[in-house]
Amino acid sequence: ASFVSRTACVNAETACEAVSALLRFAEAYMDAYPTEASARNAGRYLGAESNGEQAGRLSIHSLFYTISQASFYIMCFRGKDCIQYYRRAEEYHQNLEDDYDPELLDYSDPQLIDITAKRWNRLCSHHLNPLRFCLESVRGEFLLLADNFDLLDQDLLNKLMIEDRKMESSAMLTVASPSPSSSLRSGVKRMVRKRRKVSLIQTPATLKKRRLVGGVGGLGKGSNPLDSFFPFDPYLLRRSYVF
């Protein structure tokens, strides 16, 4: 995901194909676990019991969450290019003559690069709730992208944004160890006064100015349930950055 998102030689067509392939895997996984009961029972086949808690679900379905996050991550960086390419490809194939030569097509088959709202709605509304287990900055940026390009139904988008804000608010809470009451009270006051800054993924558009002066950006801070690591993010070698 990091390679597809960051590398300049990866064009929009390849990025679309990568996202579409990730979505196909996620859809096959959702077909395998259509109900919450089936997802809970998955641990029996893996030799691990799930009590329905977040940690158990994350452990059992970690592959699904990783694949889902990869698709969200690529869209955060390449979403605009991918959506525009898909729309051009769809229009191109709609206007093709019946006797076209398949070897001379300018755009890929839309079915192979399908990143339409129908697929995102199904993924984000599934009971496994993949966005909940994403890196916080990826989740927030994808929701902004979905809002700008109508990737999600408005009701679902509103629901997910409310959940995102709740998770951001809960991240401010800390579990204090036993300590003198005065220290505890002062610590609570500092937490109340401190405003949590929004931490969004840094996309190519937001980083353009920083790159001009030699700087590059990364994912930002935030919760990271999957312990994600993106080997191409950030890329700090300035002279080879253009590649």
Side-chain angles (χ1 to χ4, degrees):
S2 184
F3 177 83
V4 173
S5 301
R6 292 286 190 170
T7 309
C9 63
V10 176
N11 57 25
E13 179 182 9
T14 302
C16 279
E17 290 175 348
V19 173
S20 183
L22 291 169
L23 290 175
R24 281 195 295 274
F25 179 94
E27 289 164 347
Y29 200 97
M30 290 186 288
D31 289 338
Y33 300 102
T35 64
E36 293 186 24
S38 62
R40 287 194 300 269
N41 294 333
R44 298 178 181 177
Y45 301 99
L46 300 175
E49 292 294 334
S50 172
N51 57 5
E53 296 297 330
Q54 177 170 311
R57 181 187 299 183
L58 180 60
S59 175
I60 293 171
H61 302 287
S62 59
L63 180 59
F64 170 74
Y65 290 123
T66 301
I67 293 296
S68 299
Q69 178 174 265
S71 65
F72 297 139
Y73 181 87
I74 295 173
M75 290 298 288
C76 288
F77 280 92
R78 306 296 301 275
K80 181 179 179 180
D81 293 338
C82 289
I83 292 169
Q84 290 176 344
Y85 179 86
Y86 175 79
R87 290 173 178 173
R88 290 196 301 267
E90 192 174 36
E91 181 179 0
Y92 174 81
H93 280 267
Q94 288 175 352
N95 297 327
L96 278 178
E97 301 293 340
D98 294 335
D99 58 345
Y100 70 89
D101 185 348
E103 299 295 329
L104 301 176
L105 294 178
D106 294 333
Y107 289 91
S108 300
D109 185 344
Q111 292 184 349
L112 299 178
I113 56 173
D114 186 3
I115 54 171
T116 53
K118 180 179 179 180
R119 305 185 79 179
W120 296 112
N121 275 288
R122 184 188 177 194
L123 177 62
C124 294
S125 63
H126 192 261
H127 60 81
L128 285 175
N129 200 353
L131 275 174
R132 174 180 290 273
F133 297 94
C134 275
L135 186 68
E136 181 180 333
S137 48
V138 172
R139 180 178 65 245
E141 186 70 15
F142 178 78
L143 289 175
L144 291 177
L145 179 79
D147 186 25
N148 290 332
F149 290 97
D150 298 323
L151 295 182
L152 297 175
D153 293 339
Q154 193 61 48
D155 290 342
L156 176 59
L157 179 63
N158 292 338
K159 176 185 175 183
L160 293 172
M161 284 187 167
I162 291 173
E163 291 179 356
D164 181 52
R165 285 195 291 269
K166 288 180 178 179
M167 285 186 282
E168 288 181 349
S169 298
S170 64
M172 297 176 63
L173 302 178
T174 57
V175 179
S177 57
S179 59
S181 58
S182 60
S183 298
L184 179 58
R185 284 196 297 270
S186 62
V188 171
K189 291 179 181 178
R190 286 195 298 270
M191 284 297 296
V192 171
R193 288 197 300 265
K194 182 178 180 181
R195 295 174 62 100
R196 181 180 180 275
K197 294 182 180 179
V198 177
S199 176
L200 295 178
I201 189 171
Q202 299 299 305
T203 61
T206 62
L207 290 173
K208 183 176 181 180
K209 183 175 180 180
R210 293 178 61 188
R211 286 172 183 165
L212 291 177
V213 296
V216 295
L219 281 168
K221 298 179 181 179
S223 62
N224 186 8
L226 295 171
D227 294 327
S228 304
F229 171 69
F230 301 94
F232 291 89
D233 181 21
Y235 192 80
L236 300 177
L237 303 179
R238 297 176 183 175
R239 281 189 287 181
S240 57
Y241 182 79
V242 294
F243 301 104

